[in-house]
């Protein structure tokens, strides 16, 4: 595996899930793969779970780890071609990337959407430069449009906690005070569509339609209560307007409807549904205290599985070196 961005990069999902369970049973089984190998983790944005889980996964596999915070301690990087660099950016990404590649064997990149230029964001401009110029295998630690390590961990969590063969999984929009990217919901929808035994429903206010390439065959239901009825899993996440129906709205907050906040009444519509969220979560905006603290909340097991999903990805990349 030379790159990991979308669900198709992982191959057969049943096999990937079986491998995840194998690694969970013995996290250090494949330490020999990473001996004398180095992972470089590059962060253009803040991180908690991704930073910790990815570093732990790499160490479990015997790797050395270098962490670079681009906005703290490194030269400011220019990402655009053809610009006159007479501002505050001292180094161009096109020189920085191959230099980074000299010091490592694998690269993980985290770079969020700017939410001002949809074409630029959805072209994955920054990530694609790393793939093209680093000379190393590259995996996404969340990008402008996707977060595959999170979605893989979500799928592992659902497999571990489902009580029916084909659970109904609902991705629900919820209100937020800031404009957030679509990366998490995009990847969640993509991975649930690819999963062999998941019935996916997506619910959100009108105008918040995700890109069709991620929605796939999922059913879109604008009535949140109808969407929740009989659900086995509720995955709550805010996203800013994707600009699908109106490009001028891209990256904007066009709804703050608090009736979409997931509370006890919402969960009562489900089939004793489990609550999921990628974290960090704004309590009493996305979800109420009682729901996230309930016995049916999976946010901590879900976060723990980030180590497992990343271990599978790094293992496969090491095997391909």
């Amino acid at each position: 595996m030379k790159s990991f961005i979308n669900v198709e990069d992982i191959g057969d999902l049943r096999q990937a899930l079986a491998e995840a369970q194998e690694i969970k049973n013995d996290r250090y089984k494949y330490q020999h793969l990473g001996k004398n190998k180095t992972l470089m983790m590059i962060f253009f944005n803040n991180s908690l779970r991704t930073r910790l889980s990815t570093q732990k996964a790499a160490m479990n596999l015997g790797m050395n780890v270098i962490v670079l915070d681009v906005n703290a301690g490194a030269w400011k990087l220019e990402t655009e071609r053809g610009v006159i660099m007479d501002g505050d950016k001292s180094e161009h990404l096109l020189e920085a990337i191959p230099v980074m590649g000299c010091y490592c064997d694998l690269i993980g990149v985290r770079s969020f959407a700017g939410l001002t230029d949809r074409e630029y964001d959805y072209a994955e401009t920054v990530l694609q430069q790393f793939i093209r110029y680093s000379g190393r295998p590259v995996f996404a630690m969340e990008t402008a449009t996707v977060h595959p390590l999170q979605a893989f961990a979500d799928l592992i969590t659902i497999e571990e906690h489902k009580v029916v063969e084909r659970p109904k999984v609902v991705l629900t929009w919820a209100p937020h005070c800031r404009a957030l990217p679509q990366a998490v919901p995009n990847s969640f929808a993509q991975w649930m569509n690819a999963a062999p035994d998941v019935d996916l429903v997506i619910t959100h206010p009108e105008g918040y339609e995700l890109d069709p390439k991620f929605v796939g065959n999922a059913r879109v239901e604008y009535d949140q209560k109808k969407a929740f009825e009989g659900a086995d899993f509720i995955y709550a996440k805010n996203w800013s307007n994707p600009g699908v129906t109106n490009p001028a709205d891209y990256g904007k907050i066009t709804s703050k409807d608090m009736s979409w906040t997931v509370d006890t009444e919402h969960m009562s519509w489900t089939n004793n549904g489990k609550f999921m969220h990628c974290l960090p979560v704004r309590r009493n905006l996305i979800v109420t205290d009682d729901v996230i603290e309930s016995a049916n909340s999976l946010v901590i097991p879900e976060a723990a599985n980030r180590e497992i999903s990343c271990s599978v990805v790094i293992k496969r990349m090491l095997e391909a070196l």
Side-chain angles (χ1 to χ4, degrees):
M1 188 162 60
K2 293 297 185 183
S3 63
F4 177 72
I5 306 171
N6 296 305
V7 67
E8 56 265 24
D9 297 324
I10 203 72
D12 183 84
L13 278 180
R14 292 188 189 275
Q15 183 178 343
L17 288 167
E19 199 166 327
Q21 188 58 56
E22 178 191 23
I23 287 174
K24 199 164 189 176
N25 292 337
D26 184 356
R27 297 167 198 241
Y28 307 102
K29 182 177 181 179
Y30 296 100
Q31 274 192 331
H32 62 281
L33 291 174
K35 185 178 180 180
N36 298 328
K37 300 290 194 303
T38 299
L39 167 66
M40 181 173 288
M41 300 163 58
I42 300 162
F43 291 89
F44 289 85
N45 302 92
N46 295 337
S47 174
L48 189 150
R49 276 147 298 278
T50 297
R51 180 189 296 257
L52 297 178
S53 62
T54 306
Q55 187 164 353
K56 181 65 165 65
M59 293 168 64
N60 290 352
L61 290 162
M63 299 191 77
N64 303 310
V65 181
I66 299 172
V67 179
L68 177 64
D69 284 299
V70 171
N71 297 317
W75 298 113
K76 289 188 177 181
L77 296 176
E78 178 58 65
T79 60
E80 299 289 338
R81 299 179 71 99
V83 298
I84 298 173
M85 291 176 58
D86 58 356
D88 65 341
K89 296 177 179 177
S90 304
E91 186 162 8
H92 202 287
L93 206 59
L94 295 182
E95 284 78 61
I97 289 172
V99 168
M100 294 175 193
C102 293
Y103 306 140
C104 64
D105 300 279
L106 303 179
I107 296 178
V109 180
R110 183 174 178 95
S111 178
F112 291 173
L115 296 179
T116 56
D117 184 337
R118 190 180 194 280
E119 183 177 351
Y120 181 89
D121 287 345
Y122 274 71
E124 291 291 4
T125 307
V126 173
L127 180 68
Q128 290 300 328
Q129 287 178 327
F130 276 91
I131 291 172
R132 184 173 180 182
Y133 299 113
S134 70
R136 302 298 181 195
V138 175
F139 64 92
M141 300 191 301
E142 188 169 1
T143 71
T145 66
V146 292
H147 197 351
L149 290 172
Q150 179 65 54
F152 187 14
D154 296 333
L155 180 58
I156 294 169
T157 306
I158 289 171
E159 284 294 306
E160 290 176 332
H161 292 271
K162 69 182 185 181
V163 294
V164 296
E165 185 62 28
R166 184 177 175 82
K168 179 180 179 181
V169 178
V170 177
L171 169 62
T172 180
W173 178 92
H176 203 281
C177 55
R178 295 180 55 203
L180 299 183
Q182 300 98 45
V184 169
N186 281 346
S187 275
F188 185 78
Q190 183 186 56
W191 282 69
M192 293 305 114
N193 272 311
D197 294 305
V198 169
D199 177 18
L200 176 63
V201 178
I202 303 174
T203 185
H204 52 72
E206 291 194 35
Y208 271 81
E209 291 79 10
L210 296 170
D211 192 297
K213 71 179 180 181
F214 297 110
V215 174
N217 296 322
R219 178 165 63 89
V220 176
E221 174 57 70
Y222 296 104
D223 185 322
Q224 193 184 29
K225 185 174 183 179
K226 287 183 180 179
F228 275 45
E229 289 174 353
D232 300 290
F233 295 90
I234 298 297
Y235 196 101
K237 184 69 179 78
N238 173 266
W239 59 89
S240 61
N241 197 302
V244 172
T245 56
N246 185 0
D249 286 337
Y250 176 65
K252 295 179 180 178
I253 298 174
T254 51
S255 175
K256 295 182 179 179
D257 188 348
M258 291 291 289
S259 71
W260 285 76
T261 300
V262 179
D263 58 17
T264 301
E265 181 184 358
H266 285 71
M267 295 304 292
S268 73
W269 303 333
T270 71
N271 180 32
N272 194 33
K274 303 291 194 297
F275 177 81
M276 300 179 69
H277 188 279
C278 62
L279 302 181
V281 65
R282 299 270 185 154
R283 286 183 176 223
N284 302 305
L285 272 177
I286 300 289
V287 58
T288 55
D289 291 333
D290 52 349
V291 171
I292 198 170
E293 294 174 10
S294 74
N296 276 12
S297 174
L298 296 179
V299 296
I300 304 304
E302 187 181 354
N305 277 331
R306 290 293 308 279
E307 177 189 344
I308 306 305
S309 66
C310 193
S311 295
V312 174
V313 170
I314 294 176
K315 170 185 173 289
R316 291 188 174 194
M317 288 190 150
L318 289 170
E319 288 172 333
L321 289 178

